[in-house]
Amino acid sequence: MATKRKPIHSNFGSSKLNFRPMSQESQKQDGKGTKPVPEQSSIANVLLMMVIHTCRKIVFVDTIKRVAVYCACLFLVSLIGDVMPIPRSYFSRSDNLLNQCFVKFGWGWTMIVTFPFLVLTSYTVCCGRRDKVLQHLVRLCVATASWFFWTKLFEYIEVNYGKCSAKGDYTKQQCLTNGQYWHSFHISGHAFILVYSSLILIEEARAIIGWERIRDLIREEYHIRSTSEDSRSITVLSPLGGLSESEFIILKSCYERFTPLVRTLFILMTFFSMLWDFMLIFTMLYFHNMVEKLLAGVIAIFIWFVTYRGWYTTPKLLPDLPGEGLFRYKGKEPADISPKKRRSVSSLNSSKGQLPRFMGMPLYGLRSQDGDKSDGINNGVNTLSDY
């Protein structure tokens, strides 16, 4: 009885193909031209990135414009509150919930979210160098010392340069105990804390600008180190090339572990920044007079400007600015583009081979479409040349 012949290509779907096996050197050479592709994002990650993008739009408004708005509102809104009869509301009471639970402990709430955010981000970008992390913590020490000094100075001025409404030599405590009114120049500590806390949150949150790019840098650096034959060329090929092997491993581990916490803390920082601005409005309307609030705001802005725009930007002078570490991961922030110019700019970027971006992240999925279009154009040119 005749048996069935086995098909010639019976092993077509299996791994035993009739090809010559590739050596490790050839695989390494072929891998040199293959750039690693980012992992596919889940729906939850896309929604999270939309939230992060919205928070960035809220927090990272031009700081100079924000400072100008603070000064203008502290003058105009406070002047309206002094001159015009503003209807009383729940927030005009000093015992309202937000004032008692948040504003009175405003600096504590600011440090609760800012301190771990600074530690996690600086520990990551400094690749576990604790001395560098301590240098970053100097900023919060300076801010806390400034807050303590100025609030105590405001209190000292109020207590020692005031006068009781009743005749006699009374202290502030004696005057208030007797049911009298204490007349003094009371610089608004609430306005100072709210303005200064908002500016500190904004400046310290800048470490998250370009944070998502670190993932791409790590992936590309890992590819370069695994395929490059000459280790001396790594420093030229990647921003992370200057890191040692141990520093690169620490960076990769810390970024994967700390990124969810960094994002959560950034969302909380955005919440407190919005809360401080919200409570500042009612402080301007109902509490203190215009001069006391404006002076407090100007002092807060002055301290912020001296430190974050003067002291910390000086080269070779500690501490460093937020986000500075053993490598640079922040790109140049794009300038604002008017809607009329966006179409021409996008077409210019596409003509240069750059991928379009969504929420600051490149759309890698369009790379294949661009490749298909270029292949179609090349094929058309080749067919025309045949004729």
Side-chain angles (χ1 to χ4, degrees), residues 324-377:
E324 293 186 357
L326 300 184
F327 62 95
R328 296 181 62 87
Y329 64 94
K330 295 182 180 181
K332 294 182 179 180
E333 298 183 11
D336 294 335
I337 303 175
S338 60
K340 295 181 180 180
K341 296 182 179 180
R342 286 179 180 174
R343 185 180 300 274
S344 60
V345 172
S346 61
S347 61
L348 180 61
N349 291 335
S350 61
S351 62
K352 292 182 179 181
Q354 299 180 1
L355 293 176
R357 295 176 175 268
F358 175 68
M359 295 190 299
M361 301 183 67
L363 299 177
Y364 294 99
L366 297 181
R367 178 178 294 169
S368 60
Q369 298 180 9
D370 295 338
D372 295 341
K373 291 180 180 179
S374 60
D375 292 342
I377 294 174

Side-chain angles (χ1 to χ4, degrees), residues 82-308:
D82 293 343
V83 176
M84 298 179 60
I86 304 297
R88 313 303 291 179
S89 65
Y90 172 75
F91 293 102
S92 63
R93 297 163 46 185
S94 60
D95 61 345
N96 68 78
L97 181 63
L98 294 180
N99 187 51
Q100 293 293 325
C101 297
F102 292 99
V103 178
K104 284 193 173 182
F105 305 98
W107 191 251
W109 285 110
T110 302
M111 290 297 102
I112 285 176
V113 295
T114 306
F115 177 79
F117 181 85
L118 183 147
V119 171
L120 296 178
T121 54
S122 60
Y123 192 84
T124 301
V125 299
C126 295
C127 302
R129 292 274 301 274
R130 296 185 179 180
D131 56 334
K132 295 288 186 180
V133 176
L134 293 177
Q135 293 175 8
H136 281 279
L137 286 175
V138 172
R139 295 195 305 271
L140 295 189
C141 294
V142 172
T144 303
S146 301
W147 161 78
F148 183 81
F149 171 78
W150 286 102
T151 52
K152 290 299 180 183
L153 181 61
F154 297 162
E155 183 179 354
Y156 177 83
I157 294 173
E158 179 195 8
V159 172
N160 293 275
Y161 294 93
K163 184 178 180 182
C164 185
S165 58
K167 293 183 179 180
D169 189 10
Y170 295 101
T171 63
K172 178 184 177 181
Q173 188 64 31
Q174 294 172 348
C175 181
L176 297 178
T177 303
N178 295 331
Q180 303 298 322
Y181 184 77
W182 183 257
H183 297 279
S184 64
F185 184 70
H186 186 194
I187 303 176
S188 177
H190 281 186
F192 173 81
I193 291 176
L194 294 174
V195 173
Y196 192 50
S197 296
S198 295
L199 293 175
I200 292 297
L201 287 172
I202 293 169
E203 293 296 337
E204 293 300 330
R206 293 187 185 279
I208 205 172
I209 297 177
W211 187 262
E212 307 302 329
R213 182 170 176 261
I214 298 179
R215 179 190 291 107
D216 298 334
L217 295 178
I218 293 174
R219 182 176 58 251
E220 294 173 1
E221 177 68 15
Y222 181 80
H223 173 72
I224 292 174
R225 293 190 180 216
S226 61
T227 58
S228 178
E229 296 179 356
D230 187 5
S231 59
R232 292 173 298 178
S233 63
I234 296 178
T235 57
V236 182
L237 298 176
S238 171
L240 304 182
L243 302 180
S244 63
E245 191 67 26
S246 60
E247 290 173 343
F248 179 71
I249 293 174
I250 293 174
L251 170 63
K252 185 175 182 297
S253 175
C254 291
Y255 183 81
E256 293 175 353
R257 287 186 298 156
F258 296 157
T259 293
L261 293 175
V262 168
R263 292 170 176 172
T264 303
L265 289 170
F266 176 65
I267 295 173
L268 291 176
M269 293 170 74
T270 305
F271 166 76
F272 279 108
S273 178
M274 296 173 61
L275 179 61
W276 299 153
D277 291 343
F278 178 76
M279 294 305 298
L280 181 62
I281 296 174
F282 297 101
T283 301
M284 291 185 290
L285 288 174
Y286 296 115
F287 304 101
H288 299 275
N289 58 49
M290 183 269 293
V291 178
E292 296 171 345
K293 288 174 284 191
L294 181 60
L295 181 59
V298 169
I299 292 174
I301 294 171
F302 173 77
I303 301 172
W304 160 80
F305 186 83
V306 169
T307 53
Y308 285 92

Side-chain angles (χ1 to χ4, degrees), residues 8-121:
I8 297 176
H9 303 287
S10 60
N11 294 331
F12 182 78
S14 64
S15 60
K16 298 179 180 180
L17 300 177
N18 295 325
F19 297 110
R20 184 173 57 186
M22 298 176 63
S23 62
Q24 293 181 356
E25 294 182 357
S26 60
Q27 290 177 357
K28 189 174 182 180
Q29 292 176 357
D30 292 341
K32 289 182 179 180
T34 305
K35 196 171 183 180
V37 179
E39 299 178 358
Q40 186 176 3
S41 298
S42 62
I43 297 178
N45 188 39
V46 171
L47 294 177
L48 176 61
M49 294 309 301
M50 292 177 66
V51 174
I52 296 294
H53 180 73
T54 304
C55 292
R56 287 176 177 173
K57 290 294 184 181
I58 295 173
V59 174
F60 298 129
V61 181
D62 188 358
T63 314
I64 301 300
K65 294 180 180 178
R66 184 186 289 266
V67 166
V69 171
Y70 280 153
C71 293
C73 290
L74 286 170
F75 176 76
L76 296 176
V77 178
S78 300
L79 188 62
I80 293 174
D82 293 343
V83 176
M84 298 179 60
I86 304 297
R88 313 303 291 179
S89 65
Y90 172 75
F91 293 102
S92 63
R93 297 163 46 185
S94 60
D95 61 345
N96 68 78
L97 181 63
L98 294 180
N99 187 51
Q100 293 293 325
C101 297
F102 292 99
V103 178
K104 284 193 173 182
F105 305 98
W107 191 251
W109 285 110
T110 302
M111 290 297 102
I112 285 176
V113 295
T114 306
F115 177 79
F117 181 85
L118 183 147
V119 171
L120 296 178
T121 54

